[in-house]
Amino acid sequence: MNTQLPLAQQIDLQISTTGPMSVATYMGLCLTHPTQGYYKGADPLGAAGDFITAPEISQMFGELIGFHLVNVWQQMDEPKSFNLVELGPGRGTLMADILRVACRAPGFRDGLKLKLFETNPALTAQQRNRLESYEPQWLENFEQFSEGPIIVVANEFFDALPIRQFVRKADGWHERMIGLADGKRVFGLAPTPISNDAMPTAVANAEEDSLFEVCFAGSEVMSRVAKAIAKQGGSVLAIDYGYARTQTGDTLQGVRNHAFADVLENPGETDLSAHVDFAALAAVAREVGLAVQPLATQGEFLTRLGIAERAAALSGANPGSASDIRAALERLTAKDQMGDLFKVFCAHSPGLNPPGFAA
């Protein structure tokens, strides 16, 4: 492949040369191409980017997660050395808010080994500026943890990992592919069916034309993290939009300039994501011996941690910002905004009881 060509032309050339590509291959090229991938380019966050994440809406989000993580650390008897890991740290805003709260706990800062996993050079620079005093280390893989327990947080990370899609037909499941028709990228199906026996039980009896998504990359990341936690102790907290049970449905979407966009247009310039199958992540975590909390909505999780009380305290201290604080609280917790759309997943060493989840 000629890597000097624009990414769209590279993709079309690969399809013309080797045939249709899977949705996962297409997503991988669009998001993480070494020079032209979406996450290799400019900062995609904020009003000038394509989307806004919860940490950018209000400091309350990160502060309450900081409280959650300190509680987990305390339940592990305040280890003198531990890994605090963030997957996809964005601008470093979430971790800065987390540590502003967490480091008030005596001993937390002294034992902290901060690890960040990031692929965007522009964001890495911002993380360095915000978090330099904590001496972060950027991970290249999931085997670079130091000794001691591992506490992982991942906000809107798993949704950006490549998925494969399969469509049920009379003769079995066919993988959904991306090919070319009249010079334009289009969806189609691989001709050779996959046996129904290869699909999860939850979708075994799906109706014809049902679409099933699977994120092998997400399961692989969870497997590596969970195995490390099973060995060294700790927890993983993941916040993302997704569903509690494995199901059918097309959730692949593109976002550009804060609006939905065609996933097949402007590769490398459009954010691509898909809803997370939290049941699949839970199965991977349980397989290596971790306990898994009941899945919570973001609204439930933040409310249990005291976001309403935190909002009231901030409003009292900053009366001029009270309306903005109320708006942020609504956006983060309301059912018709981020409150129900986003879910909170937690897997951890047996014996821990991370706060924010139903008893």
Side-chain angles (χ1 to χ4, degrees):
M1 182 185 292
N2 185 346
T3 57
Q4 301 303 313
L5 292 173
L7 182 57
Q9 292 185 31
Q10 292 185 45
I11 289 172
D12 293 349
L13 180 60
Q14 180 170 327
I15 293 172
S16 298
T17 304
T18 62
M21 63 176 58
S22 69
V23 172
T25 298
Y26 177 76
M27 283 187 72
L29 288 170
C30 289
L31 297 178
T32 60
H33 181 279
T35 58
Q36 300 182 52
Y38 182 81
Y39 286 114
K40 297 294 184 178
D43 180 355
L45 301 171
D50 293 317
F51 56 90
I52 296 176
T53 59
E56 306 293 335
I57 293 172
S58 171
Q59 68 186 65
M60 297 185 292
F61 183 79
E63 289 173 346
L64 291 173
I65 291 177
F67 168 78
H68 166 96
L69 299 182
V70 164
N71 189 283
V72 169
W73 174 76
Q74 291 171 334
Q75 289 184 40
M76 293 189 294
D77 298 324
E78 303 180 4
K80 302 301 181 185
S81 179
F82 67 97
N83 300 267
L84 178 56
V85 183
E86 185 173 4
L87 308 181
R91 293 171 168 171
T93 305
L94 174 59
M95 186 54 68
D97 289 340
I98 286 171
L99 292 175
R100 186 175 61 253
V101 169
C103 288
R104 294 176 185 172
F108 190 93
R109 175 69 181 89
D110 295 336
L112 172 67
K113 300 292 185 292
L114 182 59
K115 315 282 187 178
L116 306 173
F117 181 80
E118 180 59 65
T119 61
N120 184 315
L123 294 179
T124 298
Q126 294 193 52
Q127 294 158 20
R128 183 174 287 108
N129 289 336
R130 281 191 169 91
L131 303 170
E132 185 176 16
S133 64
Y134 300 102
E135 302 177 355
Q137 176 187 359
W138 280 266
L139 301 177
E140 295 181 359
N141 57 58
F142 299 103
E143 284 78 36
Q144 293 179 291
F145 302 122
S146 302
E147 292 183 1
I150 303 165
I151 301 174
V152 180
V153 61
N155 181 59
E156 293 198 51
F157 172 79
F158 284 95
D159 69 282
L161 298 178
I163 61 165
R164 292 174 70 180
Q165 293 185 322
F166 299 87
V167 177
R168 178 74 182 270
K169 292 297 181 183
D171 60 345
W173 293 86
H174 293 253
E175 183 161 11
R176 199 181 192 202
M177 310 292 284
I178 296 170
L180 294 173
D182 298 324
K184 293 185 178 181
R185 288 177 291 280
V186 295
F187 286 110
L189 299 179
T192 305
I194 297 171
S195 170
N196 192 47
D197 295 338
M199 294 295 157
T201 304
V203 300
N205 297 316
E207 296 180 357
E208 192 168 339
D209 293 326
S210 295
L211 187 147
F212 169 64
E213 298 174 337
V214 60
C215 184
F216 291 119
S219 294
E220 177 63 20
V221 170
M222 181 56 67
S223 176
R224 294 188 183 191
V225 168
K227 286 177 179 176
I229 291 173
K231 179 180 179 181
Q232 297 178 221
S235 71
V236 52
L237 183 77
I239 303 126
D240 233 313
Y241 47 83
Y243 39 89
R245 295 174 182 157
T246 299
Q247 60 189 44
T248 58
D250 184 2
T251 71
L252 177 64
Q253 67 179 28
V255 173
R256 192 179 187 200
N257 297 325
H258 300 274
F260 290 113
D262 190 326
V263 299
L264 298 182
E265 294 183 359
N266 302 303
E269 301 175 22
T270 300
D271 178 41
L272 302 181
S273 63
H275 285 214
V276 177
D277 182 352
F278 286 109
L281 297 185
V284 171
R286 290 190 179 102
E287 188 175 344
V288 298
L290 299 190
V292 179
Q293 289 293 317
L295 195 69
T297 67
Q298 179 173 293
E300 291 169 341
F301 179 74
L302 295 176
T303 298
R304 289 174 184 140
L305 292 179
I307 192 170
E309 293 79 3
R310 179 58 179 150
L314 284 174
S315 295
N318 304 276
S321 301
S323 61
D324 291 337
I325 294 169
R326 284 195 300 272
L329 174 64
E330 180 81 3
R331 188 167 181 184
L332 291 172
T333 62
K335 290 185 177 182
D336 60 348
Q337 297 196 48
M338 298 178 75
D340 270 10
L341 176 63
F342 283 79
K343 310 298 190 300
V344 185
F345 167 93
C346 185
H348 53 86
S349 300
L352 299 180
N353 185 27
F357 299 91

